[in-house]
């Protein structure tokens, strides 16, 4: 599944500023180093898989409350602290500034400082992903009647504000042990890891997410739990070992954009990287089941 990076706020931000002068060498404190990526809410859900449908409902609930709307279709679904932590606020502003200033580096007068950024509302933190609303301009914003939909969830739309997601990059300093093997969907079906009903379930999600007419409607069931960090890191390392062998490949740029679930004991994920976006083979049909994105979905067989 393609990622339209050119039109979205997506980056890897490593804010490490070195001050150098004759006869001195200052090192930035470790707590000021932030490794994260920022995208818009739609991209974070649809392409990156950082948020699921339940997370979106929680975000929408909090947005309706913050705007003091009389009717909230998602009332009661936000169950977090209503204030962003000092660390999350500081981290978001640093990563946001790093992105903005990189793209405006030719116009120094327009460069931002963290103090220039106004986080108007905090919409929660979901599995380490911080969701906030940022005002574009200084003047007072007026909520519009317009609404937009993401993943079937209705959000209020204000042209002066956007909702962004800060995603912290996994700590990859420690070595990751791979105890299994990735299979593309065709091979997984041939080896009997998945059957036709499994394929239809996975395809159902893809058709729904990308707005296509769904021949397998109602066959996908959202997993009860999210993918663990340990499995996430192992899958990324397996992808790096097997699929993306380019010299400049880095685990930081391997994205698991969807955890479909565990089928028959095998983990099924949508996964790609900046240097290998379409898998090894373009696949549109497996076991008689068509799908809009078989080519970047993998099955992980963990050795017993």
């Amino acid at each position: 599944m393609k990622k339209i990076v050119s039109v979205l706020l997506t980056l890897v931000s490593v804010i490490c500023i070195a001050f150098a002068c004759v006869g001195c060498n200052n090192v930035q404190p470790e707590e000021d180093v932030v490794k994260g990526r920022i995208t818009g809410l739609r991209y974070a859900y649809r392409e990156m898989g950082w948020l699921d449908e339940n997370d979106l409902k929680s975000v929408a609930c909090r947005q309706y409350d913050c705007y003091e709307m009389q009717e909230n279709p998602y009332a009661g679904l936000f169950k977090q602290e209503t204030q962003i932590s000092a660390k999350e606020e500081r981290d978001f502003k640093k990563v946001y500034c790093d992105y903005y200033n990189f793209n405006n580096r030719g116009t120094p007068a327009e460069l931002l400082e963290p103090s220039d950024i106004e986080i108007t509302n905090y919409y929660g933190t979901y599995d380490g992903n911080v969701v906030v609303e940022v005002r574009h301009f200084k003047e007072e914003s007026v909520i519009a009647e317009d609404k937009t939909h993401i993943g079937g969830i209705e959000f209020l739309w204000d042209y002066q504000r956007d909702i962004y997601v800060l995603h912290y990059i996994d700590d990859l300093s420690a070595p990751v042990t791979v105890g299994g093997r990735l299979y593309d969907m065709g091979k997984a079906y041939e080896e009997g890891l998945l059957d036709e009903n499994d394929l239809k379930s996975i395809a159902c999600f893809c058709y729904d997410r990308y707005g296509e007419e769904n021949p397998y409607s109602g066959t996908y069931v959202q997993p009860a739990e999210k993918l663990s960090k340990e499995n996430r890191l192992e899958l990324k390392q397996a992808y790096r070992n097997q699929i993306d062998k380019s010299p400049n490949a880095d685990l930081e740029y391997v994205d698991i954009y969807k955890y479909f679930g565990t089928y028959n004991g095998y983990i099924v994920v949508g996964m790609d990287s900046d240097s290998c976006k379409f898998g090894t083979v373009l696949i549109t049909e497996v076991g008689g089941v068509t799908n809009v994105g078989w080519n970047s979905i993998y099955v992980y067989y963990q050795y017993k």
Side-chain angles (χ1 to χ4, degrees):
M1 298 179 186
K2 296 183 179 179
K3 296 182 181 175
I4 312 175
V5 179
S6 61
V7 297
L8 294 160
L9 302 182
T10 183
L11 70 151
V12 173
S13 175
V14 183
I15 307 176
C16 299
I17 305 173
F19 295 95
C21 61
V22 177
C24 65
N25 183 19
N26 297 324
V27 180
Q28 188 183 19
E30 184 176 352
E31 62 268 22
D32 288 336
V33 177
V34 182
K35 298 185 73 174
R37 306 176 70 174
I38 285 181
T39 74
L41 182 63
R42 185 184 303 276
Y43 194 73
Y45 163 73
R46 178 170 171 169
E47 300 294 343
M48 305 304 294
W50 297 341
L51 305 175
D52 62 21
E53 287 80 359
N54 290 330
D55 299 332
L56 290 182
K57 290 177 181 179
S58 175
V59 172
C61 172
R62 179 62 181 157
Q63 187 195 41
Y64 275 77
D65 286 345
C66 288
Y67 280 95
E68 299 181 346
M69 303 298 290
Q70 291 185 348
E71 295 184 4
N72 185 344
Y74 310 104
L77 296 181
F78 181 83
K79 303 181 185 299
Q80 300 190 34
E81 295 293 330
T82 57
Q83 297 295 319
I84 189 171
S85 72
K87 180 182 184 304
E88 290 174 336
E89 180 175 3
R90 182 174 64 249
D91 290 349
F92 178 87
K93 289 182 176 182
K94 285 186 177 181
V95 178
Y96 188 95
C97 282
D98 189 63
Y99 164 81
Y100 185 92
N101 291 342
F102 177 82
N103 285 280
N104 292 276
R105 58 193 180 279
T107 53
E110 296 183 9
L111 299 185
L112 288 178
E113 296 289 340
S115 58
D116 297 324
I117 300 171
E118 181 184 2
I119 295 178
T120 52
N121 288 310
Y122 168 61
Y123 293 146
T125 299
Y126 304 87
D127 196 24
N129 298 294
V130 183
V131 185
V132 298
E133 180 185 79
V134 176
R135 190 190 300 278
H136 284 181
F137 307 108
K138 295 293 184 181
E139 62 263 23
E140 186 64 25
S141 176
V142 178
I143 185 65
E145 293 296 329
D146 294 322
K147 297 179 180 180
T148 188
H149 291 81
I150 301 174
I153 311 302
E154 187 174 80
F155 292 87
L156 305 172
W157 182 80
D158 179 349
Y159 78 96
Q160 291 183 352
R161 311 184 193 194
D162 270 331
I163 301 176
Y164 293 106
V165 180
L166 168 63
H167 172 78
Y168 289 102
I169 295 172
D170 289 321
D171 180 7
L172 304 171
S173 57
V176 178
T177 301
V178 176
R181 179 175 180 80
L182 285 173
Y183 290 85
D184 65 37
M185 296 301 293
K187 189 67 173 176
Y189 179 71
E190 291 175 7
E191 295 291 327
L193 306 184
L194 302 178
D195 61 24
E196 184 177 339
N197 289 331
D198 299 330
L199 296 178
K200 289 179 179 179
S201 170
I202 297 163
C204 171
F205 175 87
C206 297
Y207 277 101
D208 281 345
R209 170 165 279 191
Y210 286 89
E212 302 283 342
E213 184 177 350
N214 191 347
Y216 314 113
S217 180
T219 59
Y220 177 73
V221 178
Q222 184 78 14
E225 298 181 356
K226 294 184 178 180
L227 192 64
S228 70
K229 180 179 180 180
E230 292 74 19
N231 282 333
R232 187 168 68 235
L233 291 176
E234 185 175 342
L235 285 162
K236 287 185 176 185
Q237 185 64 59
Y239 185 91
R240 174 69 180 85
N241 294 349
Q242 290 183 235
I243 310 300
D244 185 358
K245 299 180 180 180
S246 57
N248 298 323
D250 193 312
L251 288 188
E252 290 184 1
Y253 300 91
V254 177
D255 293 314
I256 297 176
Y257 60 82
K258 174 60 183 175
Y259 168 50
F260 291 92
T262 299
Y263 294 76
N264 314 311
Y266 308 113
I267 297 173
V268 182
V269 294
M271 185 161 49
D272 62 15
S273 67
D274 283 0
S275 53
C276 187
K277 290 194 176 300
F278 307 108
T280 54
V281 180
L282 181 62
I283 304 171
T284 57
E285 182 177 319
V286 175
V289 178
T290 59
N291 190 0
V292 291
W294 282 137
N295 53 296
S296 59
I297 302 176
Y298 298 92
V299 179
Y300 190 57
Y301 177 92
Q302 288 179 303
Y303 305 135
K304 305 300 182 183

